[in-house]
Amino acid sequence: MQNKISYSSVMNIVDHETFGSNERRTVRNSGIFLLDSSKKTNQLFFMGKCGGEVRIELTINFQQNTNGTLSIKESAKLYEGASTNSRDLDGKASKNTLVGINENKTISFRVRNTDEGGDYADITLQVSNVVIDETDCKNSIKAKAQTLGSGFTGSATSNINSPTSVRGGKRVTFQKCDIYCSPQTGPHEIHGAIRQKYNSVGGPNNDLVIPATDETTTPDGRGKFNHFTGNGSIYWHPTTGPKLVRGGIRHTWAKTGWERGTFGYPTSDEIRIDPSKAEWFSDFQNGVIYWAKNKSIKPHTASLSGAKVRKMFEKIFKEKAKDQKDLNVESVRISTVSDTGYDFTRSKNRKVTFKISGNYESGIFFIPNPSYTITLRIAFESDKNPDGKVACTLKARLDHWHIHTSGVGHDKLLKGLKKAVLEGFNKPFELGDVPKNTGFLSFKVMKNGGIKLYFKGDVLGSFAALVAQKKLDKM
């Protein structure tokens, strides 16, 4: 059962101590929304100000009842002082109302200044409660589209009076979104990058089937998701892009706390390693979930800590700058590690920014040596997206650079450093090759600037991780 609620709220506010055109003000708000099994309540909040002294705050709570009726509670507060910082409460009033099935009702009450003065507000709420059978997908989709508004949906691109039958339910397509419906789910919209991802994997013909929720903001406030009836979800984040996660991997991820857990957001769709086996994995910002033999199995890994990556880069930098014989390198440190990067298919790795500082031996003993600070942002990449089978070459390349010099003779130093950086880092430097069919799943930069390689959680993956670790230790 669905309740389509149409409302129009009017607050006629009077500031009794103000004379002239600013003594009275009318504040109007209206809209449409749905209540159903997935959302049985809704709360609205409106504010109105009048003169320099009166502020009204109105809260309206709507509750869907099991018999289709609608319970409404209105609470109004009158504050002395129009500023929202003022908490000088001078009056309050409330009203409880029951609206029947397919009934229109007008509800009125007044909130007064009970402390001093004759300030007040007359509040009127007009409500329409239309009950829709959730099995009637045509009217449910129509009501949903009306609730969202044409600015959100755009024009319908399929027949809204005759929804298209799809696997799992019905669908009407719009310019900016699609609305799906089934008797079990009710109507739900899908839009933006999540809609694009959903359609790219086959829409309702994929194992996801149809949406079970609208696009919803994640609890951390940064991402978006739609859950689907086929035990799957598509998650979007501004630094990952839309990614599909489902089945046992989704269940394992959920047990760790979803996107707020140790894994973070998904950075790949679910990837099947061997079509002849139930062997899958999904890449995440901070790890990999590998699924085989109907259970989650911990991947094998090889890694370098952030400290060892810093040391490795210091060695590389000194090698690239060896022609600058009088260059003193005083410190090399990791200054920042970026977030993952947006991509529709496989999110980009984090980037590591190194800061190198030191001075140059000028040869003039009574003048301080000119000093420098070099900022180099390095992108760590695999030439191919690891999938457990393909051979990959792991590389690091210069993504951004900046050089600052100071002191007597620093112009010459700047020129030499630019030459060393541009020539020394003009090509990516290879970190190593991973042969094919070694169960290589992911090459990842961690939050601390360390790097980690993930392999299948089987005997072959264990051996490959051991070989990779030995190679990393020699870098």
Side-chain angles (χ1 to χ4, degrees), residues 119-162:
D119 311 322
Y120 66 90
D122 286 326
I123 297 169
T124 302
L125 177 67
Q126 293 181 316
V127 180
S128 169
N129 175 32
V130 177
V131 175
I132 301 171
D133 184 354
E134 282 187 316
T135 63
D136 180 3
C137 277
K138 181 181 79 170
N139 284 325
S140 290
I141 291 175
K142 277 186 172 182
K144 183 72 172 182
Q146 188 178 11
T147 300
L148 295 170
S150 60
F152 182 95
T153 65
S155 300
T157 55
S158 67
N159 191 345
I160 196 169
N161 293 308
S162 181

Side-chain angles (χ1 to χ4, degrees), residues 39-187:
K39 183 181 179 181
K40 294 179 177 292
T41 64
N42 192 28
Q43 184 181 86
L44 304 176
F45 177 80
F46 305 122
M47 182 185 297
K49 301 175 185 178
C50 183
E53 294 296 329
V54 177
R55 182 178 87 253
I56 305 296
E57 293 184 358
L58 174 64
T59 303
I60 311 173
N61 289 290
F62 299 83
Q63 169 74 52
Q64 181 197 54
N65 300 319
T66 55
N67 63 357
T69 60
L70 182 67
S71 294
I72 300 175
K73 181 177 180 179
E74 297 180 84
S75 300
K77 295 179 180 179
L78 186 152
Y79 291 92
E80 188 78 24
S83 167
T84 54
N85 294 322
S86 170
R87 307 314 297 173
D88 184 9
L89 179 63
D90 284 342
K92 58 183 179 179
S94 62
K95 185 88 169 183
N96 294 322
T97 308
L98 184 70
V99 182
I101 296 174
N102 299 326
E103 181 181 9
N104 298 317
K105 184 167 278 191
T106 299
I107 309 156
S108 299
F109 69 105
R110 174 176 286 191
V111 58
R112 298 176 179 274
N113 186 334
T114 55
D115 184 46
E116 60 180 355
D119 311 322
Y120 66 90
D122 286 326
I123 297 169
T124 302
L125 177 67
Q126 293 181 316
V127 180
S128 169
N129 175 32
V130 177
V131 175
I132 301 171
D133 184 354
E134 282 187 316
T135 63
D136 180 3
C137 277
K138 181 181 79 170
N139 284 325
S140 290
I141 291 175
K142 277 186 172 182
K144 183 72 172 182
Q146 188 178 11
T147 300
L148 295 170
S150 60
F152 182 95
T153 65
S155 300
T157 55
S158 67
N159 191 345
I160 196 169
N161 293 308
S162 181
T164 303
S165 293
V166 297
R167 183 185 177 200
K170 303 281 189 179
R171 176 184 67 196
V172 174
T173 60
F174 295 81
Q175 290 174 320
K176 301 178 182 179
C177 75
D178 298 325
I179 300 177
Y180 289 82
C181 176
S182 76
Q184 293 75 35
T185 64

Side-chain angles (χ1 to χ4, degrees), residues 12 52 61 84 94 110 116-117 170 207-208 220 234 257-258 263 269-270 321 336 353 356 426 435 452 459:
N12 289 308
N61 289 290
T84 54
S94 62
R110 174 176 286 191
E116 60 180 355
K170 303 281 189 179
D207 287 340
L208 291 172
D220 71 356
I234 296 177
W258 299 95
F263 286 97
D269 295 336
E270 187 177 72
T336 60
T353 299
I356 306 101
N426 64 338
K452 187 174 283 191
V459 175

